[in-house]
Amino acid sequence: MSSLTRRTLLLAGVAGVTAFSVTASARPGDPFTLGVASGDPAPDGVVLWTRLAVDPLADDGLGGMPARPLEVAWQVAEDERFTRIAQRGSTTARPEEAHSVHVELVGLEPGREYFYRFKALNHLSRTGRTRTAPAPDSLRVPLTMAFASCAQYEHGYFTAYRRLAEDEPDLVLHLGDYTYEYESGIHVAPTGNVRQVEGPTTTTLAGYRRRQAQYKTDPDLQEAHAVAPWTVIWDDHEIDNNWAGLLPDKPQPNFPARRAAAIRAYYENMPLRRSPRLYRRIGWGALATFHMLDTRQYRTDQACGDGLQLCPERLEPSRTMLGDAQEDWLFDGFRGSRARWDVLGQQVFFSQYDYIPGEVDKFLLDAWDGYVADRDRVVAGFADVRNPIVLTGDVHAAWGAEVKERWNDPSSRTLATELVTTSITAGGDGSEEYAETPLWLRENPHVKYFNNRRGYTLTRFTPDELRTDFRGLDHVTRPGSPVSTKASFVVEDGKPGLSRL
Protein backbone atom coordinates (compact mmCIF):
# COMPACT_ATOMS: atom_id res chain seq x y z
CA MET A 1 0.00 0.00 0.00
CA SER A 2 1.28 3.45 -0.87
CA SER A 3 2.49 5.85 1.76
CA LEU A 4 0.28 8.47 0.11
CA THR A 5 -2.26 10.06 2.44
CA ARG A 6 -4.89 12.70 1.89
CA ARG A 7 -2.48 15.26 3.32
CA THR A 8 0.36 14.28 0.97
CA LEU A 9 -2.06 14.32 -1.95
CA LEU A 10 -2.82 17.95 -1.16
CA LEU A 11 0.79 18.89 -0.50
CA ALA A 12 2.04 17.11 -3.61
CA GLY A 13 0.33 19.71 -5.73
CA VAL A 14 2.77 22.42 -4.63
CA ALA A 15 6.00 20.42 -4.87
CA GLY A 16 8.02 19.33 -7.88
CA VAL A 17 9.91 20.81 -10.76
CA THR A 18 10.25 24.57 -10.98
CA ALA A 19 8.59 24.87 -14.40
CA PHE A 20 5.37 23.51 -12.92
CA SER A 21 5.48 25.21 -9.53
CA VAL A 22 2.60 27.60 -9.05
CA THR A 23 0.28 27.82 -6.11
CA ALA A 24 -2.32 25.04 -5.90
CA SER A 25 -5.12 26.76 -4.07
CA ALA A 26 -8.69 27.92 -4.35
CA ARG A 27 -7.66 31.58 -4.75
CA PRO A 28 -9.76 33.77 -7.06
CA GLY A 29 -9.65 32.61 -10.64
CA ASP A 30 -8.74 29.03 -9.79
CA PRO A 31 -10.01 26.92 -12.75
CA PHE A 32 -9.62 23.57 -10.94
CA THR A 33 -12.66 23.81 -8.69
CA LEU A 34 -14.00 20.47 -9.99
CA GLY A 35 -10.93 18.45 -9.04
CA VAL A 36 -9.17 15.80 -11.10
CA ALA A 37 -9.88 12.19 -12.03
CA SER A 38 -8.49 9.24 -13.95
CA GLY A 39 -10.18 6.25 -15.47
CA ASP A 40 -10.33 3.12 -17.63
CA PRO A 41 -6.81 1.85 -16.91
CA ALA A 42 -4.94 -0.25 -19.47
CA PRO A 43 -1.54 -1.95 -19.09
CA ASP A 44 0.18 0.97 -20.83
CA GLY A 45 -1.95 3.93 -19.84
CA VAL A 46 -5.02 5.55 -18.36
CA VAL A 47 -7.32 8.50 -19.03
CA LEU A 48 -6.62 11.72 -17.12
CA TRP A 49 -9.50 14.17 -16.67
CA THR A 50 -10.19 17.65 -15.45
CA ARG A 51 -12.60 20.43 -16.39
CA LEU A 52 -11.86 24.12 -16.05
CA ALA A 53 -14.48 26.12 -14.15
CA VAL A 54 -13.83 29.32 -12.22
CA ASP A 55 -17.57 29.63 -11.50
CA PRO A 56 -18.84 26.03 -11.52
CA LEU A 57 -22.51 26.92 -10.94
CA ALA A 58 -22.78 29.50 -13.71
CA ASP A 59 -26.27 29.42 -15.22
CA ASP A 60 -25.06 28.69 -18.74
CA GLY A 61 -23.23 25.55 -17.62
CA LEU A 62 -19.89 26.79 -18.92
CA GLY A 63 -18.23 27.34 -15.55
CA GLY A 64 -17.49 31.03 -15.97
CA MET A 65 -14.80 30.31 -18.55
CA PRO A 66 -14.01 32.53 -21.56
CA ALA A 67 -15.41 31.48 -24.92
CA ARG A 68 -12.02 30.53 -26.32
CA PRO A 69 -9.69 27.50 -26.22
CA LEU A 70 -7.23 27.33 -23.34
CA GLU A 71 -3.99 25.40 -23.04
CA VAL A 72 -3.76 22.90 -20.19
CA ALA A 73 -0.41 21.36 -19.30
CA TRP A 74 -0.19 17.99 -17.54
CA GLN A 75 2.43 15.90 -15.80
CA VAL A 76 2.60 12.24 -14.79
CA ALA A 77 5.20 11.17 -12.24
CA GLU A 78 6.38 8.03 -10.51
CA ASP A 79 6.32 9.72 -7.11
CA GLU A 80 3.97 12.10 -5.35
CA ARG A 81 6.57 14.88 -5.17
CA PHE A 82 7.04 14.83 -8.96
CA THR A 83 10.79 14.35 -8.82
CA ARG A 84 10.63 11.46 -11.34
CA ILE A 85 8.53 12.64 -14.28
CA ALA A 86 7.26 9.80 -16.47
CA GLN A 87 5.44 11.91 -19.08
CA ARG A 88 4.40 15.49 -19.66
CA GLY A 89 2.51 17.37 -22.31
CA SER A 90 -0.28 19.81 -23.03
CA THR A 91 -3.74 19.71 -24.52
CA THR A 92 -6.49 22.16 -25.38
CA ALA A 93 -9.63 22.71 -23.34
CA ARG A 94 -12.33 23.89 -25.74
CA PRO A 95 -15.48 25.88 -24.91
CA GLU A 96 -17.66 23.57 -27.03
CA GLU A 97 -16.68 20.74 -24.63
CA ALA A 98 -17.21 22.88 -21.52
CA HIS A 99 -13.41 23.20 -21.20
CA SER A 100 -13.11 19.54 -20.24
CA VAL A 101 -9.85 17.66 -20.74
CA HIS A 102 -9.39 13.97 -21.51
CA VAL A 103 -5.75 12.88 -21.85
CA GLU A 104 -5.52 9.28 -23.10
CA LEU A 105 -2.06 8.22 -21.95
CA VAL A 106 0.00 5.46 -23.58
CA GLY A 107 3.54 4.28 -22.99
CA LEU A 108 3.37 3.83 -19.21
CA GLU A 109 4.57 0.73 -17.40
CA PRO A 110 2.00 -1.94 -16.51
CA GLY A 111 0.84 -2.59 -12.98
CA ARG A 112 2.26 0.45 -11.25
CA GLU A 113 1.17 3.57 -9.42
CA TYR A 114 1.49 7.05 -10.91
CA PHE A 115 0.68 10.61 -9.83
CA TYR A 116 -0.65 13.36 -12.08
CA ARG A 117 -1.61 17.03 -12.07
CA PHE A 118 -2.61 19.84 -14.42
CA LYS A 119 -1.66 23.49 -14.90
CA ALA A 120 -3.77 26.22 -16.54
CA LEU A 121 -4.14 30.00 -16.22
CA ASN A 122 -1.15 30.04 -13.85
CA HIS A 123 -2.90 27.69 -11.42
CA LEU A 124 -1.94 24.17 -10.45
CA SER A 125 -4.49 21.46 -9.78
CA ARG A 126 -4.44 19.12 -6.84
CA THR A 127 -2.55 15.86 -7.35
CA GLY A 128 -4.32 12.66 -8.26
CA ARG A 129 -3.12 9.12 -7.89
CA THR A 130 -3.78 6.52 -10.55
CA ARG A 131 -2.67 3.03 -11.54
CA THR A 132 -2.14 1.14 -14.77
CA ALA A 133 -3.58 -2.36 -15.20
CA PRO A 134 -1.16 -5.27 -14.84
CA ALA A 135 0.40 -6.97 -17.85
CA PRO A 136 -2.08 -9.27 -19.64
CA ASP A 137 -0.46 -12.46 -18.30
CA SER A 138 -0.21 -11.23 -14.70
CA LEU A 139 -2.26 -13.35 -12.27
CA ARG A 140 -0.70 -13.21 -8.83
CA VAL A 141 -1.01 -9.49 -8.05
CA PRO A 142 -4.18 -8.96 -5.91
CA LEU A 143 -6.74 -6.31 -6.82
CA THR A 144 -8.64 -4.19 -4.30
CA MET A 145 -11.71 -2.77 -6.02
CA ALA A 146 -14.50 -0.63 -4.56
CA PHE A 147 -17.84 -0.13 -6.24
CA ALA A 148 -20.63 2.35 -5.58
CA SER A 149 -23.84 3.81 -6.98
CA CYS A 150 -26.75 6.19 -6.34
CA ALA A 151 -25.46 9.49 -4.96
CA GLN A 152 -28.50 11.74 -4.46
CA TYR A 153 -26.98 15.10 -3.50
CA GLU A 154 -30.06 16.26 -1.58
CA HIS A 155 -30.46 13.07 0.49
CA GLY A 156 -27.18 13.30 2.35
CA TYR A 157 -23.51 14.13 2.55
CA PHE A 158 -21.01 12.22 0.46
CA THR A 159 -19.06 10.89 3.44
CA ALA A 160 -19.14 7.40 1.91
CA TYR A 161 -16.95 8.66 -0.94
CA ARG A 162 -14.39 9.94 1.56
CA ARG A 163 -14.40 6.64 3.47
CA LEU A 164 -13.98 4.82 0.16
CA ALA A 165 -10.93 6.98 -0.58
CA GLU A 166 -9.49 6.18 2.85
CA ASP A 167 -9.67 2.47 1.97
CA GLU A 168 -7.24 3.26 -0.91
CA PRO A 169 -8.57 0.87 -3.57
CA ASP A 170 -6.64 0.13 -6.76
CA LEU A 171 -9.76 0.63 -8.88
CA VAL A 172 -13.24 2.13 -8.40
CA LEU A 173 -16.33 1.10 -10.35
CA HIS A 174 -19.32 3.43 -10.38
CA LEU A 175 -22.46 1.61 -11.49
CA GLY A 176 -24.74 4.53 -12.16
CA ASP A 177 -26.89 7.30 -10.73
CA TYR A 178 -23.77 9.40 -10.28
CA THR A 179 -26.08 12.42 -10.44
CA TYR A 180 -29.85 12.87 -10.13
CA GLU A 181 -31.90 14.99 -12.48
CA TYR A 182 -34.56 16.42 -10.17
CA GLU A 183 -34.88 20.02 -9.05
CA SER A 184 -34.76 20.54 -5.28
CA GLY A 185 -37.67 19.24 -3.27
CA ILE A 186 -39.04 16.84 -5.90
CA HIS A 187 -37.21 13.67 -4.76
CA VAL A 188 -37.42 13.62 -0.97
CA ALA A 189 -35.75 11.11 1.37
CA PRO A 190 -37.91 9.50 4.09
CA THR A 191 -36.37 11.73 6.76
CA GLY A 192 -36.24 14.84 4.53
CA ASN A 193 -33.56 16.39 2.36
CA VAL A 194 -30.48 17.98 3.92
CA ARG A 195 -28.98 19.74 0.88
CA GLN A 196 -30.23 21.50 -2.24
CA VAL A 197 -29.27 21.29 -5.86
CA GLU A 198 -29.10 24.38 -8.04
CA GLY A 199 -31.41 24.97 -10.96
CA PRO A 200 -34.48 23.27 -12.38
CA THR A 201 -34.83 19.63 -13.33
CA THR A 202 -32.05 18.95 -15.84
CA THR A 203 -33.34 18.82 -19.41
CA THR A 204 -30.82 20.96 -21.32
CA LEU A 205 -27.10 20.73 -21.99
CA ALA A 206 -26.50 23.74 -19.73
CA GLY A 207 -28.53 22.15 -16.97
CA TYR A 208 -26.74 18.80 -17.12
CA ARG A 209 -23.34 20.51 -17.20
CA ARG A 210 -24.26 22.60 -14.19
CA ARG A 211 -25.58 19.62 -12.22
CA GLN A 212 -22.44 17.59 -12.97
CA ALA A 213 -20.36 20.56 -11.83
CA GLN A 214 -22.23 20.94 -8.55
CA TYR A 215 -21.59 17.30 -7.72
CA LYS A 216 -17.93 17.64 -8.65
CA THR A 217 -17.45 20.55 -6.23
CA ASP A 218 -18.15 18.20 -3.31
CA PRO A 219 -14.83 17.66 -1.47
CA ASP A 220 -15.64 14.07 -0.48
CA LEU A 221 -16.31 13.10 -4.08
CA GLN A 222 -13.12 14.84 -5.16
CA GLU A 223 -11.17 12.71 -2.67
CA ALA A 224 -12.58 9.51 -4.13
CA HIS A 225 -11.75 10.55 -7.68
CA ALA A 226 -8.21 11.53 -6.75
CA VAL A 227 -7.31 8.26 -5.01
CA ALA A 228 -7.63 5.73 -7.86
CA PRO A 229 -8.78 5.27 -11.46
CA TRP A 230 -12.54 4.95 -11.98
CA THR A 231 -14.50 2.93 -14.52
CA VAL A 232 -18.00 4.36 -14.84
CA ILE A 233 -21.31 3.37 -16.40
CA TRP A 234 -24.58 5.29 -16.32
CA ASP A 235 -27.99 4.18 -15.11
CA ASP A 236 -31.19 6.22 -15.40
CA HIS A 237 -30.87 9.34 -13.25
CA GLU A 238 -27.90 10.76 -15.14
CA ILE A 239 -30.58 11.36 -17.79
CA ASP A 240 -34.17 10.70 -16.62
CA ASN A 241 -35.84 8.26 -14.24
CA ASN A 242 -36.38 4.77 -15.75
CA TRP A 243 -35.68 5.78 -19.35
CA ALA A 244 -35.44 2.96 -21.90
CA GLY A 245 -33.78 3.47 -25.28
CA LEU A 246 -35.37 6.55 -26.83
CA LEU A 247 -38.39 6.39 -24.51
CA PRO A 248 -38.79 8.49 -21.35
CA ASP A 249 -40.46 7.31 -18.17
CA LYS A 250 -43.26 9.85 -18.65
CA PRO A 251 -44.33 11.57 -21.87
CA GLN A 252 -42.28 14.68 -22.58
CA PRO A 253 -41.39 16.76 -25.62
CA ASN A 254 -38.26 15.85 -27.58
CA PHE A 255 -36.76 13.30 -25.20
CA PRO A 256 -34.08 12.20 -27.74
CA ALA A 257 -32.60 15.71 -27.64
CA ARG A 258 -32.67 15.70 -23.85
CA ARG A 259 -30.93 12.32 -23.80
CA ALA A 260 -28.28 13.53 -26.24
CA ALA A 261 -27.56 16.56 -24.06
CA ALA A 262 -27.21 14.41 -20.95
CA ILE A 263 -24.90 11.94 -22.70
CA ARG A 264 -22.69 14.78 -23.93
CA ALA A 265 -22.44 16.29 -20.46
CA TYR A 266 -21.73 12.85 -18.99
CA TYR A 267 -18.73 12.36 -21.27
CA GLU A 268 -17.45 15.88 -20.59
CA ASN A 269 -17.46 15.23 -16.84
CA MET A 270 -16.12 11.67 -16.65
CA PRO A 271 -12.66 10.11 -17.19
CA LEU A 272 -13.76 8.27 -20.34
CA ARG A 273 -12.01 7.47 -23.59
CA ARG A 274 -13.54 8.72 -26.82
CA SER A 275 -15.72 5.88 -28.06
CA PRO A 276 -18.99 5.51 -29.98
CA ARG A 277 -20.42 3.33 -27.18
CA LEU A 278 -20.30 3.10 -23.41
CA TYR A 279 -20.20 -0.69 -22.97
CA ARG A 280 -16.61 -1.89 -22.89
CA ARG A 281 -14.13 -4.26 -21.24
CA ILE A 282 -11.44 -3.41 -18.71
CA GLY A 283 -8.83 -6.13 -18.26
CA TRP A 284 -6.88 -6.51 -15.04
CA GLY A 285 -4.13 -8.87 -16.13
CA ALA A 286 -5.15 -12.53 -16.12
CA LEU A 287 -6.88 -12.02 -12.77
CA ALA A 288 -10.11 -10.27 -13.79
CA THR A 289 -12.02 -8.91 -16.75
CA PHE A 290 -14.70 -6.30 -16.14
CA HIS A 291 -17.48 -6.34 -18.74
CA MET A 292 -19.13 -2.95 -18.27
CA LEU A 293 -22.72 -3.06 -19.55
CA ASP A 294 -25.17 -0.40 -20.69
CA THR A 295 -28.58 -1.61 -19.55
CA ARG A 296 -30.45 1.58 -20.55
CA GLN A 297 -29.67 2.61 -24.10
CA TYR A 298 -30.56 -0.59 -25.97
CA ARG A 299 -33.33 -2.12 -23.86
CA THR A 300 -36.93 -2.81 -24.81
CA ASP A 301 -39.44 -0.58 -23.04
CA GLN A 302 -40.43 -1.82 -19.60
CA ALA A 303 -43.21 -4.42 -19.67
CA CYS A 304 -46.80 -3.67 -18.60
CA GLY A 305 -46.08 0.02 -18.12
CA ASP A 306 -43.26 -0.58 -15.59
CA GLY A 307 -43.57 -0.77 -11.82
CA LEU A 308 -43.95 -3.65 -9.38
CA GLN A 309 -46.59 -6.09 -10.59
CA LEU A 310 -47.45 -9.53 -11.91
CA CYS A 311 -46.87 -9.22 -15.66
CA PRO A 312 -46.88 -12.09 -18.19
CA GLU A 313 -45.39 -9.78 -20.83
CA ARG A 314 -42.05 -9.87 -18.99
CA LEU A 315 -41.56 -13.48 -20.19
CA GLU A 316 -41.73 -12.73 -23.90
CA PRO A 317 -38.62 -14.07 -25.70
CA SER A 318 -38.18 -10.91 -27.79
CA ARG A 319 -37.65 -8.67 -24.78
CA THR A 320 -34.06 -7.51 -24.40
CA MET A 321 -32.09 -5.62 -21.78
CA LEU A 322 -28.84 -5.41 -23.77
CA GLY A 323 -29.86 -5.30 -27.44
CA ASP A 324 -28.50 -7.71 -30.04
CA ALA A 325 -25.13 -6.05 -30.66
CA GLN A 326 -24.21 -5.67 -26.99
CA GLU A 327 -25.39 -9.18 -26.23
CA ASP A 328 -23.22 -10.63 -29.03
CA TRP A 329 -20.27 -8.55 -27.77
CA LEU A 330 -20.75 -9.89 -24.25
CA PHE A 331 -20.94 -13.53 -25.32
CA ASP A 332 -17.88 -13.11 -27.57
CA GLY A 333 -16.07 -11.78 -24.52
CA PHE A 334 -17.15 -14.76 -22.44
CA ARG A 335 -15.99 -17.24 -25.08
CA GLY A 336 -12.63 -15.54 -25.47
CA SER A 337 -11.97 -14.95 -21.78
CA ARG A 338 -8.97 -16.43 -20.02
CA ALA A 339 -9.48 -14.44 -16.82
CA ARG A 340 -9.77 -16.08 -13.43
CA TRP A 341 -12.79 -13.85 -12.65
CA ASP A 342 -15.26 -12.46 -15.20
CA VAL A 343 -17.22 -9.58 -13.72
CA LEU A 344 -20.33 -7.87 -15.07
CA GLY A 345 -20.43 -4.22 -14.04
CA GLN A 346 -24.07 -3.31 -14.53
CA GLN A 347 -26.92 -1.37 -13.02
CA VAL A 348 -30.17 -3.10 -12.10
CA PHE A 349 -31.00 -6.12 -9.92
CA PHE A 350 -30.07 -9.27 -11.84
CA SER A 351 -31.43 -12.08 -9.67
CA GLN A 352 -35.10 -12.93 -9.57
CA TYR A 353 -36.75 -11.25 -6.61
CA ASP A 354 -40.36 -11.72 -5.57
CA TYR A 355 -41.44 -8.74 -3.50
CA ILE A 356 -44.72 -10.27 -2.26
CA PRO A 357 -44.52 -13.21 0.16
CA GLY A 358 -47.07 -15.93 -0.57
CA GLU A 359 -48.63 -17.37 -3.69
CA VAL A 360 -48.91 -14.08 -5.60
CA ASP A 361 -45.67 -13.07 -7.33
CA LYS A 362 -44.76 -9.47 -8.09
CA PHE A 363 -41.55 -8.41 -9.76
CA LEU A 364 -39.80 -5.11 -10.43
CA LEU A 365 -40.17 -4.65 -14.17
CA ASP A 366 -37.35 -2.09 -14.56
CA ALA A 367 -34.88 -4.76 -13.37
CA TRP A 368 -33.85 -8.00 -15.11
CA ASP A 369 -37.09 -9.56 -13.82
CA GLY A 370 -38.76 -7.61 -16.62
CA TYR A 371 -36.39 -9.12 -19.21
CA VAL A 372 -36.40 -12.80 -18.29
CA ALA A 373 -35.37 -14.28 -21.65
CA ASP A 374 -32.34 -12.00 -21.93
CA ARG A 375 -31.31 -12.85 -18.37
CA ASP A 376 -31.61 -16.56 -19.16
CA ARG A 377 -29.32 -16.10 -22.15
CA VAL A 378 -26.72 -14.33 -20.00
CA VAL A 379 -26.93 -17.06 -17.35
CA ALA A 380 -26.40 -19.70 -20.06
CA GLY A 381 -23.36 -17.73 -21.22
CA PHE A 382 -21.77 -18.09 -17.79
CA ALA A 383 -20.86 -21.65 -18.81
CA ASP A 384 -18.03 -20.17 -20.91
CA VAL A 385 -16.20 -18.50 -18.00
CA ARG A 386 -14.50 -19.82 -14.90
CA ASN A 387 -15.89 -17.56 -12.17
CA PRO A 388 -18.83 -15.31 -13.17
CA ILE A 389 -19.65 -12.40 -10.84
CA VAL A 390 -22.45 -9.86 -11.27
CA LEU A 391 -22.05 -6.39 -9.72
CA THR A 392 -25.17 -4.27 -9.30
CA GLY A 393 -26.29 -0.85 -8.05
CA ASP A 394 -29.65 0.97 -8.33
CA VAL A 395 -31.67 -0.50 -5.42
CA HIS A 396 -30.28 1.61 -2.52
CA ALA A 397 -29.37 -1.36 -0.30
CA ALA A 398 -26.67 -4.00 -0.03
CA TRP A 399 -27.54 -7.53 -1.14
CA GLY A 400 -25.71 -10.80 -1.72
CA ALA A 401 -27.38 -13.40 -3.95
CA GLU A 402 -26.63 -16.67 -5.66
CA VAL A 403 -27.54 -16.91 -9.34
CA LYS A 404 -29.41 -20.17 -9.87
CA GLU A 405 -29.66 -22.42 -12.91
CA ARG A 406 -33.45 -22.45 -12.45
CA TRP A 407 -34.90 -19.48 -10.60
CA ASN A 408 -37.96 -21.25 -9.25
CA ASP A 409 -35.96 -24.19 -7.92
CA PRO A 410 -33.81 -23.15 -4.92
CA SER A 411 -32.10 -26.56 -4.98
CA SER A 412 -30.82 -26.06 -8.55
CA ARG A 413 -27.15 -25.39 -9.18
CA THR A 414 -25.59 -22.06 -8.29
CA LEU A 415 -23.91 -20.72 -11.43
CA ALA A 416 -22.72 -17.26 -10.37
CA THR A 417 -22.77 -14.74 -7.54
CA GLU A 418 -24.42 -11.31 -7.47
CA LEU A 419 -23.08 -8.52 -5.24
CA VAL A 420 -25.29 -5.45 -4.91
CA THR A 421 -23.88 -2.25 -3.46
CA THR A 422 -26.01 0.11 -1.42
CA SER A 423 -26.37 3.79 -2.27
CA ILE A 424 -23.93 6.54 -1.38
CA THR A 425 -26.83 8.67 -0.08
CA ALA A 426 -30.11 7.86 -1.88
CA GLY A 427 -32.79 7.05 0.69
CA GLY A 428 -31.25 8.96 3.58
CA ASP A 429 -29.74 7.30 6.64
CA GLY A 430 -31.50 3.98 6.14
CA SER A 431 -31.55 1.15 8.67
CA GLU A 432 -30.06 -2.27 9.25
CA GLU A 433 -33.13 -3.91 7.72
CA TYR A 434 -36.87 -3.53 7.21
CA ALA A 435 -39.54 -5.21 9.30
CA GLU A 436 -40.41 -7.26 6.20
CA THR A 437 -36.82 -8.42 5.56
CA PRO A 438 -37.16 -11.91 7.13
CA LEU A 439 -40.28 -12.58 5.05
CA TRP A 440 -38.59 -11.38 1.85
CA LEU A 441 -35.55 -13.56 2.43
CA ARG A 442 -37.70 -16.63 3.07
CA GLU A 443 -39.55 -15.93 -0.19
CA ASN A 444 -36.22 -15.62 -2.03
CA PRO A 445 -33.86 -18.24 -0.54
CA HIS A 446 -31.15 -17.57 -3.13
CA VAL A 447 -30.70 -14.12 -1.51
CA LYS A 448 -28.26 -14.58 1.34
CA TYR A 449 -27.78 -11.04 2.65
CA PHE A 450 -29.53 -7.68 2.95
CA ASN A 451 -28.62 -4.41 4.67
CA ASN A 452 -30.25 -1.01 4.25
CA ARG A 453 -27.49 1.36 5.40
CA ARG A 454 -25.76 3.75 3.00
CA GLY A 455 -22.16 3.10 1.92
CA TYR A 456 -20.25 1.14 -0.73
CA THR A 457 -18.76 -2.29 -1.32
CA LEU A 458 -15.08 -3.20 -1.06
CA THR A 459 -13.74 -6.30 -2.80
CA ARG A 460 -10.39 -8.04 -2.99
CA PHE A 461 -9.61 -10.37 -5.89
CA THR A 462 -6.91 -13.02 -5.70
CA PRO A 463 -6.48 -16.16 -7.85
CA ASP A 464 -8.01 -18.24 -5.05
CA GLU A 465 -10.95 -16.15 -3.86
CA LEU A 466 -13.00 -12.99 -4.04
CA ARG A 467 -13.60 -11.37 -0.68
CA THR A 468 -16.44 -8.87 -0.31
CA ASP A 469 -16.88 -6.37 2.53
CA PHE A 470 -20.21 -4.55 2.61
CA ARG A 471 -19.28 -1.16 4.09
CA GLY A 472 -21.99 0.89 5.82
CA LEU A 473 -22.29 4.32 7.46
CA ASP A 474 -24.22 5.18 10.60
CA HIS A 475 -25.72 8.27 8.97
CA VAL A 476 -25.51 10.51 5.90
CA THR A 477 -27.88 13.28 6.97
CA ARG A 478 -24.94 14.74 8.91
CA PRO A 479 -21.35 14.79 7.66
CA GLY A 480 -18.51 12.78 9.14
CA SER A 481 -20.02 9.38 9.86
CA PRO A 482 -17.64 6.52 10.61
CA VAL A 483 -17.81 3.44 8.38
CA SER A 484 -17.90 -0.20 9.42
CA THR A 485 -18.04 -3.55 7.69
CA LYS A 486 -21.59 -4.83 8.01
CA ALA A 487 -20.80 -8.30 6.64
CA SER A 488 -18.05 -10.11 4.78
CA PHE A 489 -18.34 -12.97 2.28
CA VAL A 490 -15.97 -15.08 0.22
CA VAL A 491 -16.48 -16.64 -3.20
CA GLU A 492 -13.92 -19.38 -3.76
CA ASP A 493 -12.33 -20.07 -7.13
CA GLY A 494 -14.45 -22.66 -8.92
CA LYS A 495 -17.19 -22.62 -6.26
CA PRO A 496 -19.91 -20.08 -7.12
CA GLY A 497 -21.93 -18.93 -4.13
CA LEU A 498 -21.43 -16.96 -0.93
CA SER A 499 -19.65 -18.15 2.19
CA ARG A 500 -20.05 -15.75 5.11
CA LEU A 501 -17.00 -14.94 7.21
Side-chain angles (χ1 to χ4, degrees):
M1 183 174 290
S2 168
S3 61
L4 181 70
T5 66
R6 288 172 293 149
R7 178 171 174 79
T8 58
L9 264 175
L10 292 169
L11 292 179
V14 299
V17 295
T18 303
F20 225 78
S21 293
V22 295
T23 302
S25 68
R27 58 191 171 94
D30 180 8
F32 296 111
T33 57
L34 307 184
V36 301
S38 67
D40 282 10
D44 67 340
V46 70
V47 180
L48 304 183
W49 173 92
T50 194
R51 178 183 160 200
L52 308 182
V54 296
D55 180 11
L57 299 185
D59 288 343
D60 62 2
L62 296 177
M65 301 304 297
R68 59 183 173 84
L70 296 170
E71 183 182 18
V72 180
W74 54 266
Q75 286 182 327
V76 179
E78 297 176 358
D79 66 307
E80 57 261 52
R81 297 190 65 82
F82 287 82
T83 61
R84 300 190 303 278
I85 302 297
Q87 290 189 20
R88 72 181 78 207
S90 65
T91 189
T92 302
R94 303 184 184 280
E96 59 268 27
E97 295 184 340
H99 288 97
S100 61
V101 168
H102 299 75
V103 180
E104 298 187 21
L105 295 175
V106 294
L108 298 179
E109 297 178 14
R112 70 154 297 151
E113 184 179 74
Y114 288 96
F115 302 86
Y116 63 95
R117 60 187 180 182
F118 299 91
K119 178 184 175 183
L121 299 176
N122 201 36
H123 287 260
L124 191 64
S125 75
R126 68 171 297 161
T127 293
R129 179 177 65 180
T130 192
R131 179 175 292 275
T132 53
D137 59 352
S138 177
L139 177 64
R140 296 292 167 186
V141 179
L143 165 65
T144 299
M145 183 274 291
F147 66 104
S149 73
C150 301
Q152 220 291 20
Y153 189 91
E154 297 177 278
H155 286 191
Y157 294 91
F158 288 170
T159 311
Y161 280 138
R162 184 171 292 269
R163 300 295 174 248
L164 183 156
E166 291 166 353
D167 282 337
E168 295 195 338
D170 304 312
L171 177 68
V172 177
L173 267 56
H174 200 286
L175 301 182
D177 294 346
Y178 181 94
T179 59
Y180 280 68
E181 76 276 27
Y182 306 107
E183 65 181 277
S184 276
I186 297 297
H187 187 214
V188 181
T191 55
N193 291 350
V194 297
R195 300 200 286 184
Q196 290 187 333
V197 290
E198 298 292 330
T201 295
T202 52
T203 59
T204 65
L205 180 58
Y208 284 112
R209 284 169 165 170
R210 190 185 190 201
R211 185 63 52 84
Q212 288 276 356
Q214 183 171 15
Y215 272 63
K216 283 290 200 308
T217 60
D218 186 279
D220 296 332
L221 177 54
Q222 289 193 13
E223 289 292 318
H225 272 300
V227 80
W230 283 41
T231 291
V232 301
I233 202 87
W234 60 46
D235 192 15
D236 54 338
H237 289 292
E238 290 90 346
I239 297 173
D240 181 43
N241 181 57
N242 282 15
W243 66 283
L246 288 171
L247 298 173
D249 180 45
K250 295 183 174 67
Q252 55 188 269
N254 205 12
F255 177 72
R258 178 185 181 184
R259 190 187 81 157
I263 290 172
R264 180 173 172 180
Y266 185 83
Y267 169 75
E268 291 170 349
N269 285 277
M270 292 293 176
L272 287 162
R273 300 178 189 275
R274 288 193 182 272
S275 173
R277 67 190 193 201
L278 190 61
Y279 63 86
R280 62 208 188 278
R281 269 184 275 276
I282 303 297
W284 201 266
L287 183 64
T289 296
F290 295 92
H291 309 263
M292 305 300 293
L293 304 185
D294 181 350
T295 64
R296 287 289 163 191
Q297 194 167 184
Y298 310 103
R299 65 158 70 189
T300 311
D301 194 15
Q302 290 92 345
C304 297
D306 205 355
L308 181 67
Q309 55 181 301
L310 179 62
C311 172
E313 182 187 338
R314 74 189 188 93
L315 304 175
E316 292 180 358
S318 61
R319 296 188 53 72
T320 179
M321 177 72 82
L322 301 177
D324 292 343
Q326 183 176 196
E327 193 173 305
D328 290 344
W329 166 86
L330 177 62
F331 296 154
D332 286 345
F334 283 170
R335 287 189 290 268
S337 177
R338 298 295 179 268
R340 183 62 54 94
W341 303 90
D342 277 272
V343 185
L344 300 189
Q346 60 94 48
Q347 295 74 41
V348 292
F349 207 85
F350 186 80
S351 300
Q352 178 171 290
Y353 195 80
D354 180 5
Y355 282 81
I356 304 298
E359 295 182 4
V360 177
D361 298 333
K362 288 190 177 181
F363 302 101
L364 185 61
L365 300 177
D366 186 60
W368 285 86
D369 273 333
Y371 302 81
V372 174
D374 204 355
R375 179 175 60 193
D376 288 346
R377 291 190 292 270
V378 174
V379 171
F382 289 157
D384 291 324
V385 299
R386 179 166 173 161
N387 292 300
I389 302 292
V390 181
L391 305 182
T392 300
D394 183 63
V395 289
H396 306 172
W399 311 68
E402 296 179 343
V403 177
K404 292 293 184 177
E405 185 175 30
R406 296 183 301 277
W407 291 106
N408 294 322
D409 181 3
S411 66
S412 65
R413 286 191 306 157
T414 297
L415 300 182
T417 305
E418 181 175 15
L419 305 173
V420 184
T421 190
T422 186
S423 62
I424 292 291
T425 57
D429 289 336
S431 58
E432 295 303 312
E433 63 179 22
Y434 296 116
E436 302 88 348
T437 298
L439 292 176
W440 285 341
L441 296 183
R442 282 199 296 271
E443 188 75 12
N444 301 276
H446 56 285
V447 177
K448 306 300 181 183
Y449 177 70
F450 173 85
N451 184 273
N452 189 42
R453 290 294 184 190
R454 308 288 78 82
Y456 55 95
T457 304
L458 191 67
T459 63
R460 185 166 178 83
F461 290 82
T462 70
D464 299 323
E465 67 177 30
L466 163 60
R467 174 180 171 135
T468 299
D469 295 327
F470 291 106
R471 305 278 276 160
L473 275 64
D474 296 341
H475 54 80
V476 295
T477 52
R478 320 186 293 281
S481 173
V483 67
S484 62
T485 296
K486 298 297 182 179
S488 297
F489 292 87
V490 163
V491 182
E492 297 181 51
D493 174 34
K495 298 179 180 178
L498 291 162
S499 298
R500 188 159 186 167
L501 297 178

